[in-house]
C-alpha cells in the first residue's frame, strides 16, 4: 500500500513508521517537525519526509495514496490549553480538511487518531463506543468535533475509522515525559518522588505505544466492512487505573520512591473508565497485551540507560508544552503555531 502518515515525527509516529516499513508499505511522512533537531538519519533512508502543516495540505500532497493515517495534532490537554482556538483549528478543522482533501484525491481509507478523553467526565459508568461524548477540555472537544465532521464525509469510496486511544506510555525514539506513566517513572528516577497535582482519584485508562501502533496496522489491513465509519476504543480493560493507583504501581517497583499530592489542580474532571471489548472482539490477533506492571521495569531501564533522557527529563526535549513555549519565545513560531523561521533547533 502507499500510505501517507501525518505527524510521523511524533511520539507515536516514531514507533509506527518502522512497523509500517516492516510490512514493506510505501510510506511518506508529513510533519511540522517541532523536533527537527532530533530527526534521525535512518528515517531518511526508509521513507520520504515532507515538512508541512496539515492546515496547508493540498490535493497534490495526497494524490496516489491508498490510505492516510492522521497522527498530527496538538497532542494533549496541557498543550491544547495554550490556545483553544488554534487547538480547534488544528485538531478539528485541520483534520477535517485533511480528510476532505484525501477523499477528493481518491484516498479510500482514512485513519483518524482520536482519544478516550472525548468521554470526559464519565467515571461513574463503564463507557463504550455507543456512550455519548462529554469532552471537558479544548483538546478533547476538538477531537470529538473532528470525529463528527469526518464521519459525514464517508461514502462508498471513502472509509474513515476513528481510534479512541487510552493514554499512551512506553519508550519511543521521540520519548515524552509529560504523559502520566512516563512522567511518574521519570520523576521517581530523577528525584525519588512522584508528584500528583490532583487528588489522584480520576480514572485514566492507559496503553503501551507499541499496542497503539499495532491497532493502527490492524485497521489499515482490515476489510472495509470491518472498519467503515466506525469508532474503536483502543486499550486493555485490565488497564483502567486511578491516577493514584498508577503512582502506587510505579512506587512499588522503584524502591524508596515517595508519593506527594500537591493538590494544586484539585479534582481532575477528566475521569473515565473505558470498555475496550469491541476492538478486541473485532481484531483478536491485535489485542493489546502489554501491561503496566510488566512495562514499568522496561521503561525504567530505558530512562536509566539513556543519558539524555535521565539528565534532561525536565527539559523541552521531552516535554511538548515546554518545547512549543520555547519556540514561541524564540520567535520561531507565530501565535497560530506556524513556523516563522526555518532554522529552529
Amino acid at each position: 500500500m502507499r500510505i501517507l502518515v501525518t505527524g510521523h515525527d511524533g511520539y507515536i509516529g516514531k514507533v509506527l513508521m518502522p512497523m509500517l516499513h516492516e510490512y514493506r508499505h510505501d510510506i511518506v511522512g508529513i510533519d511540522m517537525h517541532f523536533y527537527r533537531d532530533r530527526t534521525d538519519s535512518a528515517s531518511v533512508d526508509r521513507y520520504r519526509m515532507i515538512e508541512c502543516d496539515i492546515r496547508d495540505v493540498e490535493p497534490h500532497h495526497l494524490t496516489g495514496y491508498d490510505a492516510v493515517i492522521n497522527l498530527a495534532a496538538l497532542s494533549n490537554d496541557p498543550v491544547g490549553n495554550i490556545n483553544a482556538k488554534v487547538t480547534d483549528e488544528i485538531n478539528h478543522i485541520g483534520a477535517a480538511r485533511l480528510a476532505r482533501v484525501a477523499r477528493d484525491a481518491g484516498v479510500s481509507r482514512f485513519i483518524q487518531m482520536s482519544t478516550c478523553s472525548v468521554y470526559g467526565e464519565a467515571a461513574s459508568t463503564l463507557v463504550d463506543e455507543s456512550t455519548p461524548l462529554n469532552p471537558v477540555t479544548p483538546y478533547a472537544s476538538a477531537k470529538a468535533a473532528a470525529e463528527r465532521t469526518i464521519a459525514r464525509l464517508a461514502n462508498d469510496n471513502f472509509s474513515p475509522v476513528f481510534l479512541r486511544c487510552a493514554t499512551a506510555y512506553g519508550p519511543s525514539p521521540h520519548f515524552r515525559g509529560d504523559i502520566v506513566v512516563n512522567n511518574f517513572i521519570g520523576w521517581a528516577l530523577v528525584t525519588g518522588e512522584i508528584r500528583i497535582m490532583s487528588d489522584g482519584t480520576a480514572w485514566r485508562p492507559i496503553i503501551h505505544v507499541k499496542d497503539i501502533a499495532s491497532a493502527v496496522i490492524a485497521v489499515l489491513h482490515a476489510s472495509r466492512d470491518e472498519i467503515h465509519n466506525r469508532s474503536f476504543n483502543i486499550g486493555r480493560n485490565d488497564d483502567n487505573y486511578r491516577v493514584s493507583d498508577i503512582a502506587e504501581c510505579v512506587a512499588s517497583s522503584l524502591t524508596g520512591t515517595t508519593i506527594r499530592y500537591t493538590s494544586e489542580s484539585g479534582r481532575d474532571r477528566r475521569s473515565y473508565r473505558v470498555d475496550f471489548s469491541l476492538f478486541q472482539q473485532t481484531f483478536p490477533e491485535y489485542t493489546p497485551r502489554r501491561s503496566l506492571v510488566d512495562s514499568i521495569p522496561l521503561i525504567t531501564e530505558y530512562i536509566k540507560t539513556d543519558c539524555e533522557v535521565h539528565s534532561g527529563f525536565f527539559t523541552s526535549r521531552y516535554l511538548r508544552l515546554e518545547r512549543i513555549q520555547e519556540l514561541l519565545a524564540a520567535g520561531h513560531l507565530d501565535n497560530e503555531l506556524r513556523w516563522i523561521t526555518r532554522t529552529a533547533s
Side-chain angles (χ1 to χ4, degrees):
M1 299 174 70
R2 191 156 190 252
I3 304 165
L4 183 76
V5 182
T6 70
H8 75 277
D9 203 42
Y11 175 66
I12 297 173
K14 296 297 283 187
V15 174
L16 174 63
M17 294 298 270
M19 294 173 67
L20 291 172
H21 185 72
E22 289 178 5
Y23 282 90
R24 309 190 71 81
H25 292 304
D26 179 6
I27 49 178
V28 174
I30 282 184
D31 202 286
M32 281 284 282
H33 291 132
F34 287 157
Y35 284 87
R36 58 175 61 154
D37 52 315
R38 293 175 61 186
T39 299
D40 57 287
S41 59
S43 299
V44 179
D45 296 334
R46 285 186 292 222
Y47 50 85
R48 188 162 63 94
M49 296 181 289
I50 302 169
E51 187 170 290
C52 182
D53 191 313
I54 63 165
R55 293 172 287 183
D56 302 327
V57 168
E58 298 295 340
H60 73 269
H61 289 119
L62 299 173
T63 301
Y65 288 94
D66 302 296
V68 170
I69 301 168
N70 184 31
L71 299 174
L74 290 183
S75 56
N76 62 4
D77 288 317
V79 176
N81 290 337
I82 292 178
N83 186 320
K85 180 175 179 291
V86 174
T87 297
D88 188 68
E89 288 176 354
I90 296 172
N91 292 5
H92 168 211
I93 299 170
R97 181 182 178 277
L98 176 71
R100 188 177 301 108
V101 174
R103 183 195 63 178
D104 294 346
V107 176
S108 60
R109 185 157 304 191
F110 189 91
I111 301 173
Q112 169 66 12
M113 301 304 290
S114 192
T115 169
C116 285
S117 66
V118 295
Y119 296 116
E121 194 170 13
S124 61
T125 59
L126 189 67
V127 299
D128 63 20
E129 290 82 356
S130 66
T131 302
L133 306 186
N134 183 34
V136 297
T137 65
Y139 168 72
S141 295
K143 284 291 190 178
E147 287 193 32
R148 292 192 296 269
T149 305
I150 294 170
R152 292 195 290 266
L153 299 175
N155 60 28
D156 290 344
N157 301 310
F158 181 71
S159 293
V161 56
F162 309 97
L163 302 187
R164 296 173 181 166
C165 297
T167 300
Y169 69 90
S172 164
H174 280 186
F175 185 77
R176 289 184 58 178
D178 54 2
I179 43 184
V180 62
V181 175
N182 293 353
N183 181 268
F184 286 176
I185 296 173
W187 270 90
L189 285 173
V190 177
T191 70
E193 179 184 77
I194 295 171
R195 292 196 316 165
I196 301 178
M197 291 184 288
S198 66
D199 63 7
T201 60
W203 286 92
R204 197 63 46 80
I206 57 175
I207 182 174
H208 196 284
V209 64
K210 285 188 175 179
D211 285 326
I212 292 178
S214 293
V216 172
I217 289 171
V219 299
L220 179 68
H221 294 162
S223 69
R224 180 182 184 277
D225 289 343
E226 288 177 305
I227 60 90
H228 179 70
N229 215 17
R230 298 182 72 185
S231 298
F232 292 96
N233 296 330
I234 308 300
R236 286 167 33 101
N237 286 350
D238 289 343
D239 280 346
N240 280 293
Y241 288 95
R242 291 188 185 273
V243 170
S244 58
D245 295 332
I246 297 173
E248 292 288 352
C249 285
V250 173
S252 64
S253 179
L254 298 175
T255 304
T257 300
T258 59
I259 300 172
R260 179 162 66 93
Y261 292 85
T262 68
S263 300
E264 58 197 86
S265 300
R267 185 180 69 86
D268 191 344
R269 292 179 62 203
R270 302 168 300 163
S271 184
Y272 38 89
R273 291 182 297 129
V274 180
D275 183 352
F276 299 101
S277 302
L278 179 62
F279 181 82
Q280 295 170 12
Q281 292 164 3
T282 309
F283 304 102
E285 67 274 28
Y286 287 98
T287 297
R289 294 178 172 85
R290 296 170 179 85
S291 70
L292 172 63
V293 173
D294 292 339
S295 297
I296 288 173
L298 301 177
I299 302 170
T300 300
E301 188 61 25
Y302 175 81
I303 295 175
K304 287 171 65 176
T305 57
D306 187 319
C307 294
E308 289 183 298
V309 173
H310 192 274
S311 63
F313 190 79
F314 303 114
T315 70
S316 65
R317 187 172 179 83
Y318 302 106
L319 305 175
R320 293 298 188 268
L321 177 58
E322 281 74 4
R323 177 60 167 177
I324 291 175
Q325 290 174 330
E326 179 181 77
L327 293 173
L328 285 167
H332 295 311
L333 295 178
D334 65 19
N335 289 334
E336 301 296 313
L337 301 188
R338 294 180 182 274
W339 285 113
I340 298 172
T341 68
R342 315 309 293 174
T343 58
S345 63

